[in-house]
Amino acid sequence: MFYIFVSQNIFIEMIKVGLSGNRYSGKTSVGKLFRQIGIPVFDADVVLKFIISRDLETISQIKSKVGEHIFKNGELSSKYITDSEFDKILECASFQIMKAYENFNQKNSFSVYTIFNSSFLFETDWADEMDFNINVFCPKIHRMERCKELTNMKVSDIAFMLRNEMDDLDKNKMSTYIVHNYSNMDTPTQVNKIDQKII
C-alpha cells in the first residue's frame, strides 16, 4: 500500500490500475496514450523478462518448482516451456514483480494513479491487486488481420499462436473499463474518459 501527499496533513492511497489485452489488441498503443496524458505506466512484461533472466532468487525458485530442463545455455527458453510450466514461472516471479511496481509507485508519487501494464493480468492474481482493471478489446478476427499485416504469418500459424489465449469476452467481464480498439473506434477519447472517471 502506498499513499500520495495531497496537501498539508492529507494523504490518499495511490490508485492502481491494471491494463491488459490479448495479442494484437493494441494494448501497447493504449499504454502510450496514457503516457501522453501524463500517467506513469509500469511495463510488467519488460520487468518480468528481466526478473526471470537476471534475478538469482527467482531463477532458483523456477529451477526448483519447474525444473532445469527449461534452461538452455543458462537462459530460459520458451521453446521448452509448456503453458502449465509458464504459470508456475509467473508464480515464482510474482513477488518481485509487485515489489518493483511498489518502487515504481514511490518514484511516481505525484500521480493520482499509475498503470500496471501486463499481458498476464487476468491469468494471474495480479488483477486482484488493482483498484480498477482495463481490458483493451479487439475481436479475434481483427487481431488476426493485424498480425498478418504486421508479420506476414500464415493464417493457420496465427490461429495456432492465439489458440490458448483467455477469451476476449471473459477478460471484458473481469474488467472495470473496456477500451474498444478496432474499426473506427476513437481510442484516445475512450482513454481520456477513463482517466477522468478514475480521477
Side-chain angles (χ1 to χ4, degrees):
M1 184 179 299
F2 185 72
Y3 291 87
I4 59 173
F5 177 74
V6 178
S7 60
Q8 188 173 7
N9 299 323
I10 298 176
F11 293 85
I12 61 171
E13 187 176 348
M14 176 178 280
I15 299 168
K16 300 175 183 178
V17 181
L19 174 67
S20 195
N22 280 338
R23 285 187 180 100
Y24 296 97
S25 63
K27 177 176 68 71
T28 301
S29 298
V30 171
K32 288 178 181 177
L33 289 173
F34 275 103
R35 283 193 178 98
Q36 287 173 11
I37 60 173
I39 305 303
V41 179
F42 176 82
D43 195 331
D45 293 347
V46 172
V47 176
L48 174 65
K49 287 178 184 176
F50 178 83
I51 288 172
I52 63 179
S53 62
R54 296 288 178 263
D55 185 75
L56 297 179
E57 184 179 339
T58 302
I59 292 170
S60 177
Q61 286 182 36
I62 292 170
K63 288 180 178 179
S64 175
K65 292 185 178 181
V66 183
E68 300 262 357
H69 67 281
I70 61 173
F71 289 87
K72 298 297 173 186
N73 299 320
E75 297 288 331
L76 267 174
S77 176
S78 58
K79 183 179 177 181
Y80 303 99
I81 300 173
T82 66
D83 291 337
S84 61
E85 287 172 337
F86 186 70
D87 289 341
K88 291 179 182 177
I89 290 170
L90 288 176
E91 287 177 19
C92 293
S94 186
F95 175 79
Q96 294 295 348
I97 287 280
M98 285 302 156
K99 184 177 177 182
Y101 182 46
E102 286 300 317
N103 290 337
F104 178 84
N105 286 341
Q106 289 181 18
K107 291 177 182 176
N108 292 282
S109 59
F110 58 85
S111 183
V112 173
Y113 71 96
T114 60
I115 297 282
F116 180 89
N117 187 2
S118 171
S119 299
F120 314 107
L121 183 71
F122 298 108
E123 290 82 355
T124 63
D125 59 0
W126 297 342
D128 298 332
E129 300 285 331
M130 304 297 137
D131 299 295
F132 304 105
N133 288 300
I134 303 167
N135 187 49
V136 181
F137 173 71
C138 180
K140 194 170 187 177
I141 186 67
H142 291 287
R143 295 192 291 111
M144 291 179 73
E145 288 170 359
R146 281 180 189 169
C147 182
K148 185 169 176 52
E149 287 175 11
L150 292 169
T151 66
N152 210 27
M153 287 173 63
K154 294 179 182 178
V155 173
S156 58
D157 292 336
I158 296 171
F160 183 78
M161 178 181 69
L162 303 181
R163 74 196 187 284
N164 291 327
E165 287 185 323
M166 183 184 290
D167 185 82
D168 298 284
L169 297 179
D170 287 338
K171 287 190 175 184
N172 283 350
K173 290 175 185 176
M174 299 168 73
S175 303
T176 319
Y177 304 109
I178 302 165
V179 174
H180 294 267
N181 189 37
Y182 52 92
S183 300
N184 296 318
M185 296 294 182
D186 187 349
T187 307
T189 296
Q190 292 179 71
V191 167
N192 283 322
K193 285 182 179 178
I194 291 171
D195 171 66
Q196 291 304 307
K197 287 179 181 178
I198 292 170
I199 290 174

